[in-house]
Amino acid sequence: MTNSRAAFSSSLANAARSGIRLAALALVAALAVAAAIAQSQAAHAAAPRPGASQPAKPGAAKTSKPAPSKPAGPAVTWSVSPATATNFDAKRNFYDYSAKPGVTLSDHVAVTNYSSRPIAFHVYAADGTTDYKTAKFTLISGKKTSKDLGSWVSVEGGPSNCPAGQTGAKLTACLAKLGTTVTVQPKTAVIIPFRVAVPKNASPGDHAAGIVAAYTEKGNGTTAVAVEQRVGARVYLRVAGKLAPSLRASGAVIGFHGGMNPFGGGSASVGFDLTDSGNTRLSAGTTVKVTGPFGIPVTTLTAPPVENLLPGGVAHVQLSVPKGVPRLFLLFGGITVKAQHADGNATGDVLPGSTKASAMTWAVPWVWLLIALVVAAGVVGALWWRRRSREQLAVALHQYVLQVQADAARGELVAHAGEQEPQR
C-alpha cells in the first residue's frame, strides 16, 4: 500500500515539473518577442535620416561644385500662337481642323519675340504625342523625323519631312532644313504661312502635331554643347471616316508602405496605364476605391483628369494615400475610368463606356501577427500540457489501482497460507 502511494505521488510530481518547465519556456518566448520589438523600435528611432549633409545611400555623396555662370546676354523669351494673314487670332488657342483625305489647308502662325535683341528661330512642324509620365501633350524629339501630321505640314513652303531610312549626319542635316528660319526683331512678331496637305490614304480619326519655333543657344568655349529650346502651338486634325473611340486601363498595381510605427498604419499608392486604343482624342476621369478583405472600405481617390489623350497614346496615372491606411492583411484597388470629351471638334463625340481594372497587395500587420502567433502557441501549449497532465494522472491512477489490487491479492494469499499452516 505504501509503494502504491509513493508511485502515485511520484507521477504527480513528474506532471507538475513538466507543467512548470512548459510555463517557463512560454515566459522566456514572450520576453524574447518583447525584447525584439523594443530593439526594432529603438533601431528605427536611432537610425539617422538622410539630410543635406548626409548621403541617403553609401557612395552617393559627390564633390560639391559651384553652378556654372549663366551665359552672357539677355534672356530669350518667345511664343507661338495661331494667327490670321495680318494679325494675331485671339479666338484660337490651338489649331483644330476637320478635312477629307486629299485636301490641302492653309493657315498662319505668329512667332513673337519678347526679348531685347533679334533672335533667329527655326520654325517647323513635328508629330504630337502623349508624355507617358505627365499625360500631357508633347512633341517628338527634335532629332527624329515626323511620320504623321507633322510630315503633312509645310511651313512657308519648306520641306515637311526627311526621306525614310536616313540616319546620322544626313538625318541631322535634313532636320535642320525643315520648314523655315526667320529672324524676329525684339518686341515684335512675325506671321508665317503654312499648309497642311492631307494624304489621300490618311487614316480616319484624329491626328496631332505642333508648329515649333526652336531657338538654339550656343554655349561658351570650344567644348560647350548647344542647347535647343522649343515652343510650339498644338495642331489637331480629324480626317473624315469611321470613328472608333476606345479607352483601355492596364498594368494596374497597388502598393502598401508601412510606417516606422509597427502598430500604426501606412501609406498606399495606386498606378495604371491608360491607353487611347481608338482613333479619336479622349479625356478621362479616374476614381479608385481602396478596400480591405470582404469589401472593408478604406478610402476613395479621384485622379486629376487626363486631357486630350491622343490615339495610340499611353499615359501613366498615379494616385496615393499619404497616411492612415490600416494594415488589413490585403488591400484591393478598384479602378474605374470614365471617358470625357476632349477639346475642340471632339466635344460632340459619342463616348465609349467606362473601363475598369483592379490590383491587390499585402498589408500584413507583422507585429500583431507575431503577437497572435505567440498567444496561439501559448494556448496550444497550455492545452497540450493539460492533456498530457491528464494522461499522466490517468496512468498514475491506473498504476495505483493495479498496485492496490496486487497488494490486496498478496495479502489474501498470506492470510490464506496462515490459515492452512495449523492443519499440517
Side-chain angles (χ1 to χ4, degrees):
M1 200 68 176
T2 303
N3 295 335
S4 301
R5 291 192 183 94
F8 180 62
S9 300
S10 177
S11 300
L12 289 177
N14 291 334
R17 284 194 293 272
S18 299
I20 292 172
R21 285 195 295 269
L22 184 60
L25 290 174
L27 179 60
V28 170
L31 291 175
V33 170
I37 294 174
Q39 185 176 3
S40 175
Q41 292 177 339
H44 281 299
R49 296 184 179 180
S53 60
Q54 179 180 357
K57 296 182 180 179
K62 297 182 179 180
T63 304
S64 177
K65 295 183 179 180
S69 59
K70 186 178 179 180
V76 178
T77 307
W78 72 102
S79 67
V80 179
S81 58
T84 64
T86 58
N87 207 341
F88 298 103
D89 190 348
K91 297 180 180 179
R92 295 186 294 177
N93 294 322
F94 56 89
Y95 300 95
D96 194 12
Y97 307 115
S98 295
K100 296 180 179 180
V103 171
T104 298
L105 306 172
S106 296
D107 212 328
H108 298 79
V109 62
V111 179
T112 304
N113 178 19
Y114 299 100
S115 310
S116 58
R117 61 184 176 91
I119 301 296
F121 294 103
H122 179 203
V123 185
Y124 63 98
D127 283 343
T129 185
T130 299
D131 185 85
Y132 176 76
K133 293 182 179 180
T134 65
K136 302 296 184 180
F137 178 92
T138 188
L139 302 173
I140 64 171
S141 168
K143 298 180 181 180
K144 296 181 179 180
T145 183
S146 297
K147 298 179 181 180
D148 196 64
L149 178 56
S151 66
W152 306 346
V153 179
S154 174
V155 179
E156 204 171 30
S160 57
N161 62 351
C162 295
Q166 276 193 342
T167 58
K170 290 185 178 180
L171 177 60
T172 301
C174 177
L175 292 174
K177 296 178 181 179
L178 296 181
T180 186
T181 300
V182 59
T183 298
V184 185
Q185 297 302 313
K187 312 299 181 181
T188 62
V190 172
I191 295 177
I192 306 170
F194 67 88
R195 291 181 302 137
V196 182
V198 184
K200 293 182 179 180
N201 61 347
S203 60
D206 289 333
H207 302 260
I211 297 181
V212 175
Y215 164 68
T216 301
E217 184 174 17
K218 297 181 180 180
N220 296 327
T222 58
T223 60
V225 178
V227 178
E228 182 186 64
Q229 303 176 52
R230 302 191 299 175
V231 175
R234 289 178 291 162
V235 182
Y236 296 127
L237 170 65
R238 172 163 293 184
V239 178
K242 185 178 180 180
L243 302 181
S246 177
L247 283 176
R248 183 178 74 249
S250 61
V253 293
I254 179 172
F256 175 79
H257 317 284
M260 294 180 63
N261 181 5
F263 296 96
S267 61
S269 60
V270 181
F272 68 98
D273 289 344
L274 181 61
T275 303
D276 187 333
S277 51
N279 64 355
T280 64
R281 285 184 294 119
L282 289 169
S283 296
T286 301
T287 301
V288 177
K289 290 185 178 180
V290 181
T291 59
F294 311 107
I296 299 174
V298 176
T299 187
T300 300
L301 305 173
T302 301
V306 175
E307 298 180 342
N308 296 299
L309 185 60
L310 302 177
V314 182
H316 184 70
V317 181
Q318 187 81 20
L319 303 92
S320 61
V321 186
K323 60 182 180 179
V325 179
R327 303 171 188 260
L328 298 176
F329 282 97
L330 288 173
L331 287 178
F332 302 90
I335 301 167
T336 302
V337 181
K338 186 177 181 181
Q340 299 174 354
H341 289 106
D343 296 336
N345 291 335
T347 54
D349 289 351
V350 176
L351 298 177
S354 300
T355 181
K356 297 185 178 183
S358 61
M360 180 195 76
T361 190
W362 292 97
V364 181
W366 293 109
V367 174
W368 293 113
L369 181 61
L370 184 59
I371 293 175
L373 289 175
V374 172
V375 172
V379 172
V380 171
L383 293 175
W384 174 83
W385 173 78
R386 182 178 180 185
R387 180 178 178 182
R388 180 176 175 81
S389 298
R390 286 183 176 181
E391 291 177 350
Q392 290 179 343
L393 180 60
V395 170
L397 288 173
H398 181 64
Q399 291 176 349
Y400 177 73
V401 170
L402 291 179
Q403 186 65 37
V404 169
Q405 291 176 349
D407 291 345
R410 283 196 299 270
E412 290 179 359
L413 289 175
V414 172
H416 185 66
E419 292 175 357
Q420 290 183 347
E421 186 66 29
Q423 297 178 359
R424 294 181 177 178

